[in-house]
Amino acid sequence: MRVAVDIGGTFTDLVYLDELTGRVGMVKADTTPPHFEQGVLHVIQKAGLQGEQIDFFVHGSTVVINALTERKGAVTGLITTKGFRDVLEIGRANRPDLFNLAYRKPVPFVPRHLRQEVNERLTHKGEVLRDLDTGEIDPIVQHFREQGVTAIAVCLLHAYKNPLHERMIVDYIKQQWPEVAVTASHEITKEWREYERTNTAVLNSYVMPLTARYLDKLEQHLVENGARGRKTIMQSNGGITTFEHAKQAPINLVESGPVAGMYGAAVLGRLLGYDNVIALDIGGTTAKCSLIQEGEISITTDYKIEWDHRSAGYPIKVPVVDIVEIGNGGGSIAWLDEGNALHVGPKSAGSMPGPACYGRGGSSATTTDANLVIGRLNKDNFLGGEIEADLEAARRAIQPIADAYGTSVEEAALGIVRKANANMVNALKLISIRRGHDPRDYTMVAIGGGGPMHAMALARELQIQRIVIPVASAVFSAWGMLMSDLRQDWIGTFNHRLSQLSESQWQQEWDRVKAEAYTSFAEQGVTEAEIVFSLSVDMRYLGQEHTVKVSVPECDTWEELTEQLVERFHQLHEQHYSYRLPESETEIVNLHLTGWGLLEKPPMAEWTQGGLADEAIVERRHVHLDEFGWQEIPVYQRDRLAAGEQFAGPAIVEEPSSSAVIYPDQQCRVDRYGNLIVEGATRA
């Protein structure tokens, strides 16, 4: 068995593949904070799997992002170069809330009394200007012990160029205090920018003890239940890594769960022949979207947590799939502000007590309650019958909003859904229109429990002509994990004007990074024959501050390579910023090597069940369809639809964990793999 388990804010999803029979199964269970490993074991038991059957296990976890947002990490100390103690405090000047006179910078994860200095110094070229005296470390370690520190970050000036002094400090601390968790910044990132580098090292140390305990406990439980096969975990870069490697650099798991769905959407898009894809994942707590171009997911190292229009957030300088995430999902709570304006999210009802219609004591109106009231969800087949939906409880929860506006409960419910949709449209615009991409040129892949429910309305708003709803879309992120390979990224500052860079300098640096990559993969049991590399560079015009990522072409000569690099950069710069400067000199800032350790993938099984579309209709139901009003429409049961069947909207297609709402101006067909392909008119 190959098994993938994804922990979401509301549900924990499992997808398994029986490699002997080709059978695929999927299960959902409640997420169990704070003991998330219990939810993993529960969903495995619910699937009826025995540990001895699990040959390959991959996991998507929220343990890192939860520790950061809830401030439940380790007491962390920082050691840095003399004069740079307050880098975390100073941060950047580009604050988002420019005209707020009461603005406060984000509070550093390490208070000032736990930020200590050593009197060493390197030049920007990595040359030693002042030697490190390890005797300075003893009083720092003693101070940290007295303050209850359990994790230490070491980030020295220009260590990305020469990590000598960082290694000396880490080695010395491990000799004196072996039980403390230690991070050296060069082990996590070799990009320049002191603030971002320091914050990344600090956050890695902050979550290191918690992540190690969680993975150790999970592995112990899995082994005790007989699962002795390979155990891996999803990283933020769209690849997987071993538990042991993840414990050393846990900050790479910050978006462990969400990126799997985006990676799966890229895999599915390539399989179906759709290289340009907008992936939309709507779960119980959040909605996430990402742009996939020419079959490749977009990676950024300018990731921030807790960033919004009022807070600068905290930068994390590691490769992360470029995702826009908002607090809008099925469990998002609808509320009125002091001016009686309607909002949906970001606060969520979670799984306990959950939306009011769950009947678990929830009293706040949520998006799920609203969809139930306007007929888009089936109260008699809620979550495949696992929950008996309480329609009256949903109506009672929405009643205060209806009273505030002097409307009916149904109109208030429709307002909640439309407000949630408006929030999601804005998120989709952020990853498409705002970055120079026309959404009409893309296919939307809608996943998560709420993806099929909202996707057709969002596509009509953005004039997207094609929507793909995968089989078992509600657990698609877990499926994406089964499609992943081992992946690592090596990004390092290599600042050179392209006109002054020699071929030997270029080749020598790539050879060094590749040698490091081969060593790292060998430690994870990957042979050279299973490794594939992809090269890219961060480039800019001379005098600019920020960069554009450019893939490195394969060329026969150095002159041809540099010409193509410059031309690709001009094109991408114009796409991002609407102009190019062909006469300006260009420079390389960073080299980016991506390495994949290729794993055997399960084949995509063809859809063999179901029958005629007319025979798949299980009922007709009154549903509100926005400007089309209330209509009595057919409800299809998805597993009764055979490949090749097609029908026109309006319609609803139901499966145990989601429902697809198809509008009157759209058509739906079932492809050979069982995916729903929805096409048709767009909203004027």
Side-chain angles (χ1 to χ4, degrees):
M1 288 283 186
R2 297 170 64 94
V3 175
V5 178
D6 175 38
I7 296 178
T10 306
F11 295 106
T12 295
D13 303 333
L14 179 146
V15 172
Y16 66 83
L17 170 74
D18 187 329
E19 293 188 305
L20 296 178
T21 66
R23 182 170 60 94
V24 176
M26 51 218 65
V27 176
K28 292 179 82 74
D30 289 341
T31 293
T32 55
H35 304 293
F36 294 102
E37 71 280 357
Q38 293 178 5
V40 175
L41 297 175
H42 178 219
V43 78
I44 291 174
Q45 292 167 359
K46 188 175 179 180
L49 300 178
Q50 302 299 317
E52 295 81 2
Q53 297 175 283
I54 302 175
D55 183 57
F56 177 85
F57 177 84
V58 58
H59 182 36
S61 172
T62 57
V63 65
V64 170
I65 190 65
N66 288 343
L68 294 173
T69 56
E70 297 171 11
R71 302 298 191 271
K72 292 183 178 179
V75 178
T76 304
L78 170 66
I79 299 176
T80 188
T81 302
K82 186 175 179 62
F84 289 82
R85 180 183 187 181
D86 295 318
V87 162
L88 293 180
E89 207 85 52
I90 296 167
R92 294 287 176 196
N94 51 346
R95 73 186 202 200
D97 201 2
L98 190 60
F99 300 106
N100 180 1
L101 299 180
Y103 177 80
R104 294 288 180 271
K105 289 185 177 181
V107 178
F109 276 71
V110 180
R112 195 169 195 271
H113 72 280
L114 294 181
R115 304 198 295 262
Q116 300 293 309
E117 300 174 333
V118 287
N119 195 21
E120 64 80 46
R121 194 64 177 255
L122 302 175
T123 69
H124 70 284
K125 295 180 180 180
E127 300 160 343
V128 177
L129 195 63
R130 184 180 296 119
D131 287 323
L132 171 72
D133 179 6
T134 53
E136 293 183 52
I137 305 171
D138 290 324
I140 294 175
V141 168
Q142 182 60 34
H143 174 66
F144 284 166
R145 286 179 182 270
E146 293 169 356
Q147 296 298 318
V149 166
T150 56
I152 299 173
V154 181
C155 186
L156 304 180
L157 186 65
H158 303 311
Y160 61 87
K161 200 69 174 175
N162 180 359
L164 172 65
H165 288 173
E166 281 195 353
R167 285 175 178 154
M168 289 172 64
I169 292 175
V170 170
D171 290 344
Y172 191 84
I173 291 174
K174 286 182 177 178
Q175 290 173 11
Q176 305 298 317
W177 194 4
E179 62 270 25
V180 74
V182 188
T183 297
S185 71
H186 74 273
E187 296 171 340
I188 307 300
T189 176
K190 291 183 179 177
E191 283 191 73
W192 64 4
R193 301 189 186 280
E194 289 308 303
Y195 169 54
E196 289 82 356
R197 214 163 50 85
T198 306
N199 197 71
T200 304
V202 163
L203 296 188
N204 189 74
S205 285
Y206 184 78
V207 299
M208 189 183 284
L210 179 75
T211 306
R213 286 196 300 271
Y214 171 74
L215 292 178
D216 286 343
K217 193 180 296 183
L218 176 59
E219 185 167 27
Q220 179 186 347
H221 287 320
L222 289 170
V223 171
E224 287 174 353
N225 282 274
R228 302 185 183 277
R230 193 174 201 171
K231 300 171 186 67
T232 61
I233 190 163
M234 196 77 191
Q235 299 180 106
S236 305
N237 61 7
I240 58 178
T241 190
T242 61
F243 276 18
E244 200 57 41
H245 192 269
K247 286 186 282 190
Q248 301 306 311
I251 199 63
N252 286 312
L253 311 180
V254 66
E255 288 286 0
S256 172
V259 302
M262 307 303 153
Y263 182 82
V267 172
L268 182 62
R270 289 196 297 267
L271 178 70
L272 301 181
Y274 309 137
D275 287 340
N276 293 336
V277 166
I278 292 178
L280 173 68
D281 181 358
I282 304 175
T285 307
T286 60
K288 300 164 281 285
C289 50
S290 185
L291 198 78
I292 297 154
Q293 197 163 18
E294 296 181 359
E296 296 296 328
I297 55 177
S298 177
I299 298 290
T300 180
T301 57
D302 292 326
Y303 174 80
K304 296 181 179 68
I305 60 168
E306 299 181 18
W307 179 93
D308 59 33
H309 67 286
R310 291 191 175 182
S311 172
Y314 300 87
I316 299 178
K317 205 75 173 159
V318 297
V320 178
V321 174
D322 196 359
I323 293 176
V324 171
E325 184 171 1
I326 60 171
N328 262 216
S332 293
I333 293 172
W335 54 282
L336 301 174
D337 64 18
E338 294 176 354
N340 252 20
L342 177 65
H343 301 265
V344 178
K347 189 175 181 181
S348 173
S351 59
M352 289 298 291
C357 62
Y358 279 19
R360 297 174 176 174
S363 57
S364 300
T366 68
T367 309
T368 295
D369 294 311
N371 277 314
L372 182 65
V373 166
I374 60 176
R376 298 184 185 182
L377 286 173
N378 184 352
K379 70 180 183 66
D380 297 320
N381 188 28
F382 204 75
L383 287 179
E386 288 191 26
I387 294 177
E388 186 175 343
D390 190 338
L391 177 59
E392 289 308 309
R395 293 179 64 87
R396 285 195 301 272
I398 296 172
Q399 187 67 57
I401 295 174
D403 292 342
Y405 285 103
T407 64
S408 68
V409 170
E410 289 79 9
E411 288 174 319
L414 184 62
I416 292 170
V417 172
R418 285 177 170 170
K419 177 62 178 175
N421 283 347
N423 294 339
M424 296 173 196
V425 165
N426 287 335
L428 290 165
K429 287 180 178 178
L430 283 174
I431 55 105
S432 58
I433 296 170
R434 289 281 294 273
R435 300 184 184 178
H437 302 280
D438 189 339
R440 294 173 296 185
D441 298 334
Y442 289 77
T443 294
M444 179 182 285
V445 175
I447 59 178
M453 176 75 63
H454 296 268
M456 272 59 81
L458 303 178
R460 294 176 74 241
E461 190 74 30
L462 293 171
Q463 301 184 36
I464 296 172
Q465 291 286 333
R466 184 188 301 113
I467 307 101
V468 177
I469 301 175
V471 175
S473 59
V475 294
F476 187 78
S477 287
W479 181 85
M481 293 176 195
L482 290 181
M483 297 294 109
S484 299
D485 293 302
L486 292 167
R487 171 174 174 160
Q488 280 186 256
D489 291 81
W490 288 265
I491 305 175
T493 294
F494 182 73
N495 195 205
H496 290 274
R497 296 186 188 186
L498 199 54
S499 62
Q500 299 176 4
L501 179 63
S502 70
E503 184 177 6
S504 61
Q505 287 175 298
W506 167 268
Q507 195 60 51
Q508 184 178 352
E509 188 64 15
W510 281 121
D511 289 344
R512 183 191 65 77
V513 179
K514 286 180 181 178
E516 187 179 329
Y518 281 125
T519 301
S520 179
F521 275 124
E523 292 171 354
Q524 300 179 64
V526 181
T527 65
E528 286 196 20
E530 297 170 316
I531 299 173
V532 173
F533 289 128
S534 171
L535 315 181
S536 59
V537 290
D538 294 331
M539 295 180 65
R540 65 186 182 185
Y541 292 119
L542 194 64
Q544 283 186 324
E545 171 69 2
H546 295 288
T547 61
V548 172
K549 188 168 293 295
V550 182
S551 62
V552 177
E554 292 186 8
C555 298
D556 295 328
T557 66
W558 174 242
E559 291 74 19
E560 183 185 358
L561 175 64
T562 55
E563 286 176 9
Q564 287 200 27
L565 268 182
V566 171
E567 180 54 32
R568 288 187 180 193
F569 168 69
H570 286 320
Q571 292 175 359
L572 288 168
H573 193 278
E574 186 171 22
Q575 182 183 74
H576 284 289
Y577 303 111
S578 77
Y579 72 95
R580 63 168 69 194
L581 301 173
E583 304 303 320
S584 295
E585 189 165 5
T586 59
E587 64 178 345
I588 292 172
V589 177
N590 300 309
L591 302 186
H592 184 170
L593 174 74
T594 301
W596 285 274
L598 301 182
L599 302 174
E600 185 180 353
K601 306 292 191 311
M604 187 76 169
E606 294 197 4
W607 188 254
T608 58
Q609 60 194 76
L612 298 175
D614 289 345
E615 297 172 356
I617 298 174
V618 292
E619 67 168 330
R620 300 186 70 86
R621 192 163 74 233
H622 278 90
V623 179
H624 199 294
L625 297 170
D626 295 309
E627 72 267 30
F628 297 102
W630 286 98
Q631 295 196 19
E632 188 176 66
I633 65 174
V635 177
Y636 295 83
Q637 188 170 316
R638 183 164 183 174
D639 59 8
R640 294 188 185 180
L641 289 167
E645 288 300 296
Q646 53 189 334
F647 52 90
I652 284 180
V653 181
E654 284 186 351
E655 53 186 310
S657 299
S658 67
S659 294
V661 179
I662 300 164
Y663 284 78
D665 53 1
Q666 295 173 325
Q667 297 81 41
C668 178
R669 60 182 172 86
V670 184
D671 74 1
R672 60 189 290 196
Y673 300 107
N675 304 298
L676 300 182
I677 312 294
V678 180
E679 298 173 306
T682 56
R683 187 174 180 178

